[in-house]
Each structure stands twice: as C-alpha cells, then as structure tokens.
RNA sequence: GGCCCGUUGGUCAAGAGGUUAAGACAUCGCCCUUUCACGGCGAAAACAGGAGUUCGAUUCUCCUACGGGUCACCA
C-alpha cells in the first residue's frame, strides 16, 4: 500500500489544470483564488498537472500553464518543475498509486469491477426513456465473485466503479454555497479506474488531494453536483474531507443580450489572447479578482497582487455568476498604464512607435501625449499614424462648430501661419505655443480658431492625441510647412 | 427531464429585518481646454413576481418565473 498522506500544518491549496489547451480566464481566476487563499493564510499553493485523459492531451499545454502562472505572478510552492515533498506532481507519473487504492475499495465492498462494454453502455443510453438522464444501470454491481475472478483471469477489459449507497443522503458544506444535500439514489456508480488503466479525474483527484495534504479544494461551481460522490469516497477511505470553496461561473455577454458560459465567441478568453490584445497581466489579474469576489473595504478597486493577498477572504466570494465585461477590463488597463512611471511606459510604448519608423528623438513628446490617452499599447500605431504620412482627408474637417472654424477662417489662418511658422527658429513647445497664442491674440480670436485649422492641415486627422503644438513637434518644421501648403492649395478651390 | 445552484441599475457589486439602497465601469450633461483624452462636477438607472413570518421585509420561509450548472471509461 502506498504511503499515507504526509502531515502538513497550515492551509494548502492546489491548482490542478489539465493540459488540454490554452488558459481560460475562468481557470486563471480559480488559480488566483487558490493562490490568494493560501497566501492570505500563510499556506502553500501547489500546482498539479491532471493529465489522465490521454486523448485530450495537447502538446505544449503544460508549458503554457507554467508561463501563464509565472506571467501572472502566481508562484507555486510545489509543482512539477520545482518538486516538493509530495511529488511527482504530474498524474501520469503517479499511475502506480491509484489502482491499489481502488482495489482496496473493491476488497472492502465499496467498489466493484465492471466489464460492461462501451457498446452496452451506449445502448443503455439510447434505450432509456430519457436518453439525457440515463445513468449506469449497475449491471455489474452484483456479479458473483467467481464470475469476476473468471473474467479477470481471462484478461477481460474492465473498469472499477464506485459502489454508491442506494439509500440515504449525502450532505456537505461549502464555504460559498453553504450546506448542500443530495439523495444518494441520484448519484451514479462512477468510474474510478478506466479500461486503459488510468484513473478518472474523479478518482485521481481525491487520492492526490489526500496524499498531498490539500486542506481547501477551490474549483468552479460546475463541480458542485459531483462533490457528494467525492465525499462518499473520502468516507470510504476514512480520510478527512477537505474544506470546499466552489466559485461562481464567469459568463459572457451574447450579441442578443443574453449571457452564457464565457467562450471564444465572446471575444478573447485565454490569458495569452488577452495579453496579445494589449491587456497587461496585472490588469487582467486585478479585474478577474473582482469578478466574483469583493473586498471587505470595497472602496478600493485597483489592487496589486500583494494587496489582494492582504485583502482576500473567503466570505467575500459571491454565489451568483458574473459576466465578463471588456469595458471594465479596458478601464483597469488604462489605470495601470496611467500609473506607470516614465521608464516603464517608455519600455512598453517604444516598440510600437519604432515599428512605425518614428524617430526616437520624439519620444518625450510622444510619451507625454500618449500615456493619458491609450487604453492598450497596441492602439499606438493607429493613433499616431499621421506622423509618418499625411492621410487623405476631406476638406470638411476644417469646419468645426465648437472652435468656430470654417473653410474661410481656415484659409485665412493658414495663410498667416505659413509666414509665422517659416519664421520660427526654435522649434519647441514653448516657442510654438507662445507664437501661436500671440497670433490668436493679435487677430482677436480664440486660440481654437488658430489651432483647429493648423492641426487639421498638419495631421489630416479629426481626432489626434495631443494638440496642434504636439503635432507640429512630432512632424517637424519642414514637413509641417509642406502640409500646410498642401492644405492651402486644396482649399484654394473655395476662393472666388 | 431528474438533481443542484443562483436572481440588487446595461455590467461588477455593497448592504444580512427599519438606509435618501453605497461605490466602480459604461451612458448622458456641464466645467476645464488646442481636437481627443485626463481631471472636476452632476444626471439617469436596481432589490424578478407572488404568498407568508413580522409592527416593519431587498434582507427570513415557501411557491412560481427566469438564468445557470450537472447527469462520460472529460476534467
């Protein structure tokens, strides 16, 4: 018999993903809460890979799990890559452990061998009154010992099933949902060991949680309905039942206004996809932390991971499902961007404008103009594309009600600006600003009447980050004058 | 369909028998202003419905409706 569980002190949580693809934000949030729960109570966070489904294995998926956790800052204390006292931490490497436990249950009459074929089971489902609700009919539950021995001796393919009590009620306590009771007659004799010899998730899960000393099982609420079966298993072994913390689902908003479980059609739902779309890992973590959990002092919204650890408590977790809101994520992302110091912002932003071929010397202006205005860094190229090339634009852009700018005033102002700007020797913010405001003053008009046509002529863009002065700075004197000439030439059709 | 869970503004949510039912995002308006954004101020917007219990229910109980989850040799 394998060793029994090592005795640990303190809280131990585990993140147990299966390597079947990318990291869904729902899974990430589960990992986050497991991390927060453990760390907030000075405990350990364990990573375990559940790869018992050989058919759904995806190459590289385990690396994605490692990278995502690292990138999100959820550092585990034990896991496949760093080891620990309960290794190995990959279920396929613990294969030898599970069957003896299952056989122990068989010997004790709490589980049994089942030789039913896939075909029989399919047939069972089809012939049932209600194909959707048919469970296993417990055909092999009462096979004689002799018959079982005979089948086994013949090497007949088989599984091991849990023998669920036919009567009674199983009750468990969940820290989020409270006490939940289910009649045992509604529980199926689930498979523990599959025909390929691998344990099912249902079985490996409880064996490993026990052996690894997991004190708090945190998982999505979709496991709520199978929890009674797990408890029956713990009881069958005489093991302690862990604390349960089931999490509300994360839903997505459908185009028709309804909601359903968050999936690809709602937009990016993988951590990597969100990062690729321009969301900062810290912002994603901050946002999903608040999806289904609320701090005691709920005046604060922006939390670092350390702050989350300090603020976290189980009773702040809500029962009702939350809808993923990209607008709110956007807001968090901009908050994180605005809070960056100059160096960090530069490091994130520079690659985007360099890729546009914009001169490094313009960084100062660019940074100042961009930081308060972007929600994601990937927006940078489209926001400043006018710097590299004057876009085609409609002359109607020169008309702007709020600035009182019209075609006529534009023609007039641009004429004056040509002279004024050719004349400037120091092409910097202060001198440009003072010369332009001086012009407005001498003309007896508002600054906007000068700035509007200038900005349009120089950028050809209705909305730009920063104003006319910044645009002039970014484009340079020569090209600015060139663009003003282009505008004047085009506007000349309105003369006469 | 059986079983389980849920339901406070468009979204995230606080509130746990007596409150003008917080706050944030989004929306709209105003201010600031060189367009936009930032910032400031403000507006609109909610206890799913019905029975109880109670002097009083958003808060407790039950029912209904709606939403979700689950019923695999997937996790």
């Amino acid at each position: 018999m394998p060793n029994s569980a090592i005795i640990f002190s303190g809280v131990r949580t585990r993140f147990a993903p299966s390597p079947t693809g990318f990291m869904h934000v729902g899974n990430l949030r589960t990992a986050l809460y497991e991390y927060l729960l453990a760390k907030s109570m000075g405990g350990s966070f364990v990573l375990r890979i559940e790869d018992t489904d050989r058919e759904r294995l995806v190459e590289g998926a385990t690396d994605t799990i490692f990278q995502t956790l690292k990138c999100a800052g959820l550092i585990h204390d034990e896991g496949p890559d760093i080891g620990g006292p309960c290794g190995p931490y990959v279920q396929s490497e613990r294969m030898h452990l599970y069957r003896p436990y299952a056989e122990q249950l068989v010997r004790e009459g709490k589980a049994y061998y089942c030789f039913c074929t896939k075909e029989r089971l399919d047939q069972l489902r089809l012939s049932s009154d209600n194909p959707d609700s048919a469970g296993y009919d417990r055909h092999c539950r009462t096979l004689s010992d002799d018959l079982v021995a005979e089948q086994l001796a013949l090497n007949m393919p088989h599984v091991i099933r849990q023998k669920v009590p036919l009567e009674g009620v199983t009750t468990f306590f969940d820290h989020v949902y409270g006490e939940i009771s289910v009649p045992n007659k509604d529980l199926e004799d689930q498979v523990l060991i599959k025909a390929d010899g691998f344990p099912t998730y249902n079985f490996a899960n409880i064996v490993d949680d026990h052996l690894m000393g997991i004190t708090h099982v945190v998982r999505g609420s979709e496991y709520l309905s199978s929890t009674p079966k797990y408890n029956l298993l713990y009881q069958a072994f005489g093991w302690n039942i862990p604390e349960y913390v089931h999490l509300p689902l994360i839903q997505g908003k459908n185009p028709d206004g309804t909601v359903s479980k968050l999936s690809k059609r709602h937009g990016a739902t993988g951590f990597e996809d969100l990062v690729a779309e321009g969301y900062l890992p810290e912002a994603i973590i901050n946002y999903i932390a608040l999806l289904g959990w609320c701090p005691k002092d709920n005046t604060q919204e922006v939390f670092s991971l350390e702050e989350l650890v300090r603020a976290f408590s189980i009773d702040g977790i809500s029962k009702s499902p939350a809808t993923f809101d990209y607008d709110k994520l956007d807001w968090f992302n901009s908050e994180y961007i605005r809070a960056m110091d100059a160096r960090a912002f530069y490091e994130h932003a520079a690659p985007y404008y360099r890729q546009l071929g914009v001169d490094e010397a313009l960084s100062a202006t660019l940074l100042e103009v961009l930081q308060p205005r972007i929600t994601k860094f990937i927006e940078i190229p489209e926001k400043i594309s006018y710097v590299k090339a004057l876009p085609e634009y409609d002359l109607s852009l020169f008309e702007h009600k709020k600035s009182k700018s019209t075609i006529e005033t534009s023609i007039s102002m641009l004429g004056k600006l040509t002279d004024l700007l050719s004349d400037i020797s120091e092409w910097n913010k202060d001198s440009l600003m003072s010369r332009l405001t001086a012009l407005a003053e001498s003309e007896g008009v508002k600054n906007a009447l000068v700035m509007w046509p200038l900005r349009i002529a120089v950028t050809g863009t209705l909305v730009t980050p920063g104003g006319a002065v910044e645009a002039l700075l970014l484009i340079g004197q020569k090209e600015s004058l060139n663009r003003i000439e282009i505008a004047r030439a085009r506007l000349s059709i309105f003369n006469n």
Side-chain angles (χ1 to χ4, degrees):
Chain A
M1 195 64 352
N3 304 333
S4 57
I6 302 171
I7 305 300
F8 291 96
S9 58
V11 168
R12 287 171 64 79
T13 60
R14 111 263 120 144
F15 180 48
S18 49
T20 53
F22 74 147
M23 181 79 84
H24 188 272
V25 293
N27 287 129
L28 218 214
R29 189 195 58 172
T30 300
L32 208 215
Y33 287 12
E34 282 159 348
Y35 174 86
L36 294 177
L37 174 59
K39 294 302 154 189
S40 67
M41 302 185 71
S44 302
F45 173 55
V46 178
L47 173 62
R48 181 174 75 221
I49 302 298
E50 308 229 338
D51 58 347
T52 56
D53 185 347
R54 310 315 287 174
E55 287 172 19
R56 292 208 309 166
L57 279 192
V58 172
E59 185 99 16
T62 304
D63 289 333
T64 303
I65 292 167
F66 288 143
Q67 281 158 21
T68 300
L69 292 179
K70 189 176 174 198
C71 180
L74 308 181
I75 308 302
H76 49 280
D77 300 297
E78 299 166 29
D81 49 343
I82 54 176
C86 304
Y89 291 88
V90 177
Q91 287 184 331
S92 60
E93 294 170 18
R94 322 180 103 236
M95 272 297 287
H96 56 103
L97 285 170
Y98 308 110
R99 181 168 269 272
Y101 278 113
E103 286 171 344
Q104 174 191 336
L105 254 24
V106 173
R107 282 198 304 279
E108 295 171 355
K110 295 164 182 167
Y112 58 93
Y113 292 102
C114 170
F115 302 93
C116 291
T117 59
K118 189 89 186 158
E119 292 67 39
R120 178 173 184 278
L121 263 18
D122 289 344
Q123 188 57 37
L124 199 62
R125 254 187 290 276
L126 288 172
S127 61
S128 158
D129 293 343
N130 185 348
D132 292 329
S133 69
Y136 177 56
D137 65 355
R138 295 174 163 146
H139 176 263
C140 294
R141 184 165 162 137
T142 53
L143 256 32
S144 71
D145 291 349
D146 291 347
L147 184 55
V148 170
E150 185 183 311
Q151 295 285 308
L152 253 21
L154 288 171
N155 262 330
M156 294 301 285
H158 62 275
V159 302
I160 296 179
R161 285 181 185 272
Q162 178 180 6
K163 192 183 278 186
V164 173
L166 270 13
E167 293 173 346
V169 173
T170 299
T171 299
F172 69 97
F173 175 77
D174 178 84
H175 282 278
V176 175
Y177 291 92
E179 196 164 274
I180 295 175
S181 297
V182 180
N184 290 336
K185 67 173 171 54
D186 293 331
L187 270 20
E188 193 185 7
D189 283 357
Q190 63 179 347
V191 171
L192 269 20
I193 301 289
K194 298 185 259 190
D196 65 3
F198 275 81
T200 57
Y201 159 84
N202 298 313
F203 190 57
N205 181 46
I206 72 121
V207 170
D208 285 343
D209 282 346
H210 173 253
L211 259 22
M212 293 182 177
I214 301 305
T215 59
H216 291 67
V217 169
V218 182
R219 50 154 84 118
S221 62
E222 65 267 29
Y223 289 95
L224 229 29
S225 56
S226 34
T227 300
K229 288 184 284 195
Y230 303 151
N231 272 16
L232 256 13
L233 244 20
Y234 281 111
Q235 283 161 8
F237 283 118
W239 292 342
N240 285 335
I241 292 170
E243 304 292 321
Y244 289 116
V245 182
H246 285 93
L247 271 20
L249 242 69
I250 298 179
Q251 302 180 313
K253 211 176 300 175
N254 298 322
D256 64 0
T258 61
V259 292
S260 53
K261 191 171 175 174
L262 187 65
S263 66
K264 277 113 312 202
R265 69 195 163 113
H266 298 114
T269 56
F271 178 77
E272 285 184 313
D273 301 332
L274 289 169
V275 171
E277 274 196 15
Y279 294 104
L280 299 164
E282 301 85 344
I284 299 172
I285 289 293
N286 196 154
Y287 175 60
I288 63 176
L290 265 17
L291 258 192
W293 170 78
C294 185
K296 279 276 177 295
D297 162 26
N298 74 342
T299 53
Q300 184 181 351
E301 291 221 82
V302 176
F303 285 90
S304 66
L305 191 57
E306 295 70 35
E307 289 173 315
L308 286 173
V309 168
R310 256 175 272 136
F312 192 79
S313 75
I314 293 179
D315 56 8
I317 298 174
S318 62
K319 296 179 175 64
S320 43
T323 305
F324 196 90
D325 181 5
Y326 290 91
D327 283 338
K328 187 89 185 221
L329 213 209
D330 281 347
W331 178 76
F332 272 107
N333 216 50
S334 4
E335 285 292 301
Y336 276 86
I337 288 176
R338 275 180 245 129
M340 282 181 171
D341 61 35
R343 166 129 218 113
F345 184 76
Y346 168 78
E347 279 166 4
H348 278 88
Y352 289 99
Y353 56 77
R354 272 196 214 113
Q355 123 200 346
L356 265 188
V358 173
D359 193 340
E360 192 74 25
L362 300 173
S363 283
T365 304
L366 233 25
L367 266 22
E368 176 194 334
V369 147
L370 255 15
Q371 187 158 8
R373 267 173 269 251
I374 57 171
T375 294
K376 307 171 197 170
F377 286 99
I378 53 169
E379 292 167 355
I380 291 177
E382 45 123 347
K383 283 210 188 298
I384 58 165
S385 63
Y386 72 80
V387 176
K388 226 32 205 172
L390 178 66
E392 282 183 36
Y393 65 96
D394 197 280
L395 292 178
S396 64
L397 292 195
F398 283 106
E399 299 173 324
H400 183 64
K401 205 160 58 185
K402 206 175 139 205
S403 306
K404 297 207 170 73
S405 180
T406 63
I407 297 291
E408 290 69 34
T409 61
S410 296
I411 292 172
S412 151
M413 286 304 158
L414 290 175
K416 296 182 168 68
L417 284 165
T418 302
D419 296 338
L420 184 142
L421 293 174
S422 324
D423 214 30
I424 289 190
S425 51
E426 318 109 77
W427 197 257
N428 60 50
K429 185 171 181 175
D430 290 344
S431 75
L432 282 169
M433 186 58 114
S434 60
R435 297 293 286 271
L436 290 168
T437 51
L439 173 65
E441 194 174 342
S442 68
E443 291 294 317
V445 300
K446 291 260 203 186
N447 287 341
L449 200 64
V450 175
M451 300 297 192
W452 184 270
L454 175 56
R455 208 188 98 251
I456 296 300
V458 145
T459 66
T461 306
L462 184 58
V463 173
T464 57
V469 173
E470 286 80 5
L472 290 171
L473 249 23
L474 290 172
I475 289 163
Q477 187 167 22
K478 185 163 168 253
E479 175 63 7
S480 292
L481 287 165
N482 179 34
R483 291 185 185 186
I484 290 168
E485 282 322 303
I486 291 171
R488 291 181 66 192
R490 291 184 61 197
L491 285 166
S492 66
I493 59 164
F494 290 103
N495 285 331
N496 313 319

